[in-house]
Amino acid sequence: MHLRRQLPESPPHAVLSTIPSDSHTWNLLFLQLLLEEQGWEVTNLGACVPVETLVTECAARPPGLIVVSTVNGHGAEEAPALARAVRAEPALARVPMVIGGKLDTRGSTTADTHPAFTEAGFDAVLTGPNAVPGLLTLLDSLRQHGHGRAYADAVG
C-alpha cells in the first residue's frame, strides 16, 4: 500500500508597490509584515515603482493580490493610470487589486471620495481608520473564496 504524501500548500503571493512618485517605504514595510503575518508570500517592489515595472513583475508571476500603497498624496493623479495598465495585461485582468493610504493632498478618508479608482480597475479603496481592518477582511475573504474579483463585496 502506497500512501500519497500531501505536499503543503504554497502560501498565496502578493505584490506590494507604490505609485511612481512615492518615495516612502515605511508603509510598504508595515504592509509586508502584515501580509506575511497573515500567511502571504510578499514581493515588495519598493518605492517609486514605474508602472511598467509593476506590470512586468506581476505578469511574470501573476499574484493572488496586488496592493498599492501611497502616502505622498498623489495617488488620485497617478493610480488610475496604473490600474488601467495592470488591467490591460490579460494575465492580470482578474487579479484582485487594492489601493490605500493618503490618496490626495486633502487627506480624504472615505473610499467614495475617489470613484476614479474603482472605475480604473481597483477592487477596493482602503483609507482612514478602516484601512487595516478592511485589508484583513479582504485577506479572509480571499482565503475562503480563492482568487478572483468577487471578494470586493467583503470590503466595499
Side-chain angles (χ1 to χ4, degrees):
M1 173 180 185
H2 294 288
L3 295 176
R4 285 181 88 178
R5 197 163 106 162
Q6 194 89 331
L7 294 175
E9 270 190 46
S10 60
H13 177 235
V15 172
L16 187 53
S17 182
T18 62
I19 57 174
S21 70
D22 197 333
S23 62
H24 295 91
T25 58
W26 60 266
N27 52 319
L28 298 175
L29 181 57
F30 171 80
L31 287 167
Q32 179 176 346
L33 293 172
L34 180 69
L35 287 163
E36 289 173 344
E37 284 180 353
Q38 299 302 311
W40 287 72
E41 175 191 344
V42 178
T43 299
N44 184 340
L45 297 179
C48 297
V49 178
V51 172
E52 302 79 28
T53 300
L54 174 63
V55 172
T56 301
E57 290 293 322
C58 289
R61 181 180 175 209
L65 176 64
I66 299 169
V67 178
V68 178
S69 176
T70 180
V71 294
N72 73 352
H74 299 289
E77 291 86 31
E78 296 179 41
L82 179 151
R84 286 189 293 275
V86 168
R87 294 300 183 214
E89 173 60 45
L92 305 176
R94 308 268 317 144
V95 173
M97 181 170 56
V98 300
I99 187 166
K102 183 180 177 194
L103 303 178
D104 61 30
T105 56
R106 294 182 317 263
S108 302
T109 59
T110 58
D112 59 351
T113 304
H114 299 291
F117 291 119
T118 52
E119 291 167 6
F122 285 103
D123 297 297
V125 179
L126 305 169
T127 60
N130 295 321
V132 171
L135 181 59
L136 293 172
T137 298
L138 178 149
L139 296 175
D140 285 343
S141 181
L142 284 173
R143 190 175 300 117
Q144 292 172 8
H145 304 292
H147 301 289
R149 295 176 69 180
Y151 77 89
D153 289 338
V155 294

